[in-house]
C-alpha cells in the first residue's frame, strides 16, 4: 500500500492520512522516514538500546578471546572504534558502564585491558542456560522461518544475521542443524564457500505452522465486546497507532478496506506465476498485504519482537517480497514502528509492546532486559574513583541488586 507525503507550511509532523493512501508523491526514502510520526515510548527505549548494541559487541569480543579471564586490550578496541561507533574512544565508553566492564593493567603485557564484571559474566551464563533450555522452541522458530521461504530454502549467512534475535545458540550449526538432520540439511550455494539451509519435508511440521496473527484473531473473535464481524476479522491485523497521531475519516476508511482485503498467508504455498500477476491495483494490494503478513510473522518469531531493517532485508528475495521494506513499515504505522536511533533502522512489532516492555516476555528477554537496565543506569551510584557511592541507593532496577549479590 503506497503512501503520499503531503507537506504543509508550519506543520512539523505528518498526519495519519499521509501514510495510507493509494499513491505516493515523488520523494526519497530518507524524506519519507523523516516525515514519520514519532512514538516517544519507542524512541526512549532506543536511546538505551543503541548503547546496548555497542555493549554487546564489545562483550562478544571479550568472550571470544582465549585469555583467562576473557579480556581484550584497549588498543585492540581502539582500532575498531569506527566499526563499533565509539566516537570518544573505547576507554571513555567502557568507563560509562562500570557495572558491565572492568579496566585493568595486564601484568605481563603492561597495557590496559578490559574484561566483564562478575555481574555481566553472570548474565552471560544465565542467557546461555536459558537458550539451551528453550532449544525445542528454537528449532520450531527455525522451521517456521524456512517455511515462509518460497523454496523452503534460506542462505545460511542470512540466518547468521538474526541468530541472536531468533534465540539460536551461537553454535546452532552443530546443536540444531546437525542434530536435527531429519528436518534440516545443508547444501552448497551458487557462490563459493556459501551454504543454503534446506527444510526437509516433514508431515509433523504442519501442526506448528500457524501464524501469530491467527491467535490474535481467535482471541478477538471470542471477546464479548468484539465490534468486528467474522468476515472482516478473517484477514485483519491488530492496529495500535502512536499517541498524538491524528486519524482522519478517509484514513480510517482505507484501513477498514485494507483489513477486509484477502491475501496469501506466510505459510501458504505461492507459485512464482502468482507473484508475476501484478497488473491490477487489487493484485498489488494483495501482494503488499502478504508482505505485511510475512514481516509480522518474522517479527513474532524474534524473542524481542524487533529487528534491524538491514537484517530482515536479506530475506526479502527468498520470501518473494518485491517492495521497499522501509516504505512498507511506514505505510502501516498501526502495525509497525520504525526507529532510526543509533545510526540504524530498527522495526518493532507495535502490538507486542506496552510502555516500552514486551507484553508477553520470555526468559531470554528477561535476562537481556537486565543487561539493558545496567546500561540505562550507567555510572549512577558510582564515585569518581570507580567505587559504589554509599549515599546513593543501589539496585532500584528490578533484579539488579539480586544479580550483583549472586555474582559475588
Amino acid at each position: 500500500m503506497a503512501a503520499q507525503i503531503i507537506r504543509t507550511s508550519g506543520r512539523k509532523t505528518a498526519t495519519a492520512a499521509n501514510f495510507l493512501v493509494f499513491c505516493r508523491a515523488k520523494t526519497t526514502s530518507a524524506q519519507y522516514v523523516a516525515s514519520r510520526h514519532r512514538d516517544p515510548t519507542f524512541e526512549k527505549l532506543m536511546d538505551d538500546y543503541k548503547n546496548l548494541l555497542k555493549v554487546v559487541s564489545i562483550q562478544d569480543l571479550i568472550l571470544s578471546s582465549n585469555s583467562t579471564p576473557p579480556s581484550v586490550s584497549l588498543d585492540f578496541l581502539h582500532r575498531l572504534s569506527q566499526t563499533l561507533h565509539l566516537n570518544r574512544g573505547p576507554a571513555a565508553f567502557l568507563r560509562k558502564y562500570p557495572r558491565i566492564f572492568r579496566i585493568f593493567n595486564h601484568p605481563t603485557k603492561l597495557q590496559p585491558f578490559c574484561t566483564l564484571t562478575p555481574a555481566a559474566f553472570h548474565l552471560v551464563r544465565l542467557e546461555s542456560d536459558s537458550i539451551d533450555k528453550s532449544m525445542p522452541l528454537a528449532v520450531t522458530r527455525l522451521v517456521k522461518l524456512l517455511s515462509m521461504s518460497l523454496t523452503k530454502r534460506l542462505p545460511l549467512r542470512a540466518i547468521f544475521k538474526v541468530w541472536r534475535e531468533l534465540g539460536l545458540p551461537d553454535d546452532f550449526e552443530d546443536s540444531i542443524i546437525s542434530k536435527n538432520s531429519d528436518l534440516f540439511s545443508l547444501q552448497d550455494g551458487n557462490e563459493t564457500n556459501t551454504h543454503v539451509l534446506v527444510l526437509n519435508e516433514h508431515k509433523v511440521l504442519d501442526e506448528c505452522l500457524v501464524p501469530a496473527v491467527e491467535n490474535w484473531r481467535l482471541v478477538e473473535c471470542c471477546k464479548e465486546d468484539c465490534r468486528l464481524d467474522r468476515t472482516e476479522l478473517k484477514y485483519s491485523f491488530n492496529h495500535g497507532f502512536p499517541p498524538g497521531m491524528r486519524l482522519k475519516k478517509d484514513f480510517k476508511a482505507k484501513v477498514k478496506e485494507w483489513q477486509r482485503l484477502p491475501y496469501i498467508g506466510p505459510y501458504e504455498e505461492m507459485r512464482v506465476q502468482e507473484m508475476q500477476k501484478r497488473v491490477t491495483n487489487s493484485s498489488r494490494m494483495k501482494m503488499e498485504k502478504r508482505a505485511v503478513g510475512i514481516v509480522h510473522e518474522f517479527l513474532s518469531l524474534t524473542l524481542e519482537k524487533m529487528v534491524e531493517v538491514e537484517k530482515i532485508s536479506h530475506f526479502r528475495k527468498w520470501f518473494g517480497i518485491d517492495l521497499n521494506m522501509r516504505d512498507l513499515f511506514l505505510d502501516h504505522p498501526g502495525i509497525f514502528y520504525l526507529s532510526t536511533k543509533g545510526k540504524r533502522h530498527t522495526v518493532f512489532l507495535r502490538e507486542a509492546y506496552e510502555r516500552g516492555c514486551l507484553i508477553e516476555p520470555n526468559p531470554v528477554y528477561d535476562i537481556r532486559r537486565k543487561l539493558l537496565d545496567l546500561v540505562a543506569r550507567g555510572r549512577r551510584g558510582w564515585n569518581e574513583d570507580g567505587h559504589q557511592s554509599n549515599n546513593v541507593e543501589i539496585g532500584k532496577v528490578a533484579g539488579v541488586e539480586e544479580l550483583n549479590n549472586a555474582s559475588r
Side-chain angles (χ1 to χ4, degrees):
M1 190 177 305
Q4 182 180 10
I5 301 298
I6 304 173
R7 298 187 179 276
T8 56
S9 58
R11 186 181 302 174
K12 294 183 179 180
T13 59
T15 61
N18 296 348
F19 292 91
L20 198 63
V21 291
F22 289 102
C23 58
R24 181 157 65 95
K26 291 183 179 179
T27 180
T28 64
S29 181
Q31 290 173 329
Y32 195 20
V33 171
S35 67
R36 77 193 188 283
H37 191 98
R38 305 310 201 269
D39 190 322
T41 302
F42 286 108
E43 293 299 310
K44 183 178 180 181
L45 173 62
M46 283 303 299
D47 278 334
D48 294 326
Y49 198 85
K50 65 182 181 182
N51 292 322
L52 174 65
L53 296 176
K54 300 178 184 179
V55 168
V56 171
S57 297
I58 298 176
Q59 177 180 275
D60 289 343
L61 291 174
I62 293 175
L63 295 175
S64 63
S65 65
N66 297 323
S67 58
T68 304
S71 59
V72 294
S73 67
L74 265 64
D75 181 63
F76 173 72
L77 293 179
H78 183 75
R79 295 196 296 269
L80 296 176
S81 293
Q82 187 173 0
T83 304
L84 298 174
H85 303 292
L86 306 179
N87 299 329
R88 298 180 59 188
F93 181 82
L94 296 173
R95 292 191 181 100
K96 288 172 59 178
Y97 306 105
R99 294 177 174 85
I100 303 174
F101 300 111
R102 182 174 67 87
I103 300 177
F104 66 97
N105 291 321
H106 200 280
T108 58
K109 298 184 178 181
L110 303 178
Q111 60 175 314
F113 272 61
C114 77
T115 185
L116 298 178
T117 62
F121 273 121
H122 185 60
L123 280 180
V124 171
R125 290 191 294 269
L126 287 178
E127 181 176 346
S128 178
D129 292 341
S130 296
I131 291 176
D132 290 340
K133 292 178 181 178
S134 62
M135 196 72 72
L137 294 177
V139 173
T140 302
R141 284 191 289 268
L142 193 55
V143 166
K144 287 186 171 183
L145 188 68
L146 286 163
S147 298
M148 288 193 291
S149 171
L150 297 176
T151 59
K152 305 298 182 287
R153 300 153 54 94
L154 288 173
L156 192 62
R157 61 186 179 187
I159 299 176
F160 268 112
K161 293 281 185 179
V162 294
W163 69 272
R164 191 187 298 272
E165 286 81 355
L166 294 174
L168 304 177
D170 52 5
D171 63 339
F172 71 89
E173 283 187 89
D174 298 325
S175 59
I176 291 184
I177 297 177
S178 298
K179 290 186 178 180
N180 294 274
S181 57
D182 58 326
L183 295 176
F184 312 110
S185 59
L186 281 176
Q187 298 179 0
D188 293 333
N190 296 329
E191 301 177 8
T192 307
N193 296 327
T194 60
H195 295 87
V196 176
L197 183 62
V198 181
L199 179 65
N200 301 329
E201 293 186 5
H202 208 289
K203 295 182 180 179
V204 184
L205 300 178
D206 295 337
E207 299 179 0
C208 71
L209 300 182
V210 179
V213 68
E214 290 292 342
N215 297 327
W216 171 80
R217 291 167 184 164
L218 181 61
V219 173
E220 286 294 311
C221 184
C222 297
K223 287 184 177 179
E224 296 181 357
D225 58 344
C226 182
R227 300 179 181 179
L228 302 176
D229 54 43
R230 290 176 178 262
T231 305
E232 183 175 351
L233 190 61
K234 184 178 180 180
Y235 302 109
S236 295
F237 285 83
N238 189 4
H239 279 70
F241 296 97
M245 190 172 186
R246 294 184 296 171
L247 306 179
K248 292 187 176 181
K249 290 184 179 180
D250 58 343
F251 174 78
K252 293 180 180 179
K254 284 167 183 163
V255 170
K256 190 173 183 179
E257 179 184 356
W258 185 86
Q259 291 277 60
R260 294 176 176 176
L261 188 69
Y263 70 102
I264 300 175
Y267 299 122
E268 296 180 33
E269 292 292 337
M270 184 177 181
R271 300 176 181 176
V272 179
Q273 292 83 355
E274 293 176 330
M275 294 179 55
Q276 296 173 349
K277 293 180 180 179
R278 302 183 184 181
V279 180
T280 65
N281 183 66
S282 176
S283 61
R284 287 193 295 267
M285 299 287 287
K286 289 180 181 179
M287 291 301 300
E288 182 177 334
K289 191 165 186 178
R290 174 184 172 273
V292 170
I294 289 177
V295 177
H296 183 282
E297 185 66 10
F298 188 101
L299 289 172
S300 299
L301 294 179
T302 62
L303 297 182
E304 300 176 74
K305 316 306 178 191
M306 58 180 287
V307 71
E308 290 181 36
V309 176
E310 183 269 336
K311 292 182 178 181
I312 196 174
S313 296
H314 287 274
F315 298 88
R316 192 179 68 169
K317 180 185 71 174
W318 299 86
F319 291 159
I321 300 177
D322 189 18
L323 297 168
N324 184 297
M325 299 297 289
R326 290 174 180 83
D327 288 357
L328 184 70
F329 301 140
L330 295 174
D331 288 346
H332 300 274
I335 304 176
F336 311 111
Y337 182 74
L338 182 67
S339 174
T340 60
K341 293 272 186 169
K343 297 182 180 180
R344 54 174 52 88
H345 290 183
T346 306
V347 60
F348 292 84
L349 184 60
R350 183 180 291 279
E351 67 189 63
Y353 279 82
E354 184 177 6
R355 296 181 180 179
C357 298
L358 276 187
I359 299 176
E360 298 180 1
N362 53 76
V364 179
Y365 166 81
D366 289 335
I367 296 169
R368 292 177 180 176
R369 191 74 186 196
K370 288 181 180 179
L371 181 60
L372 180 64
D373 292 337
L374 294 181
V375 172
R377 290 181 65 79
R379 290 192 59 86
R380 279 181 293 172
W382 287 71
N383 291 325
E384 293 298 328
D385 57 357
H387 295 86
Q388 290 188 1
S389 175
N390 294 327
N391 58 352
V392 178
E393 185 179 356
I394 305 297
K396 287 186 178 180
V397 180
V400 173
E401 186 175 5
E402 293 82 357
L403 177 65
N404 289 330
N405 292 333
S407 61
R408 290 193 180 102

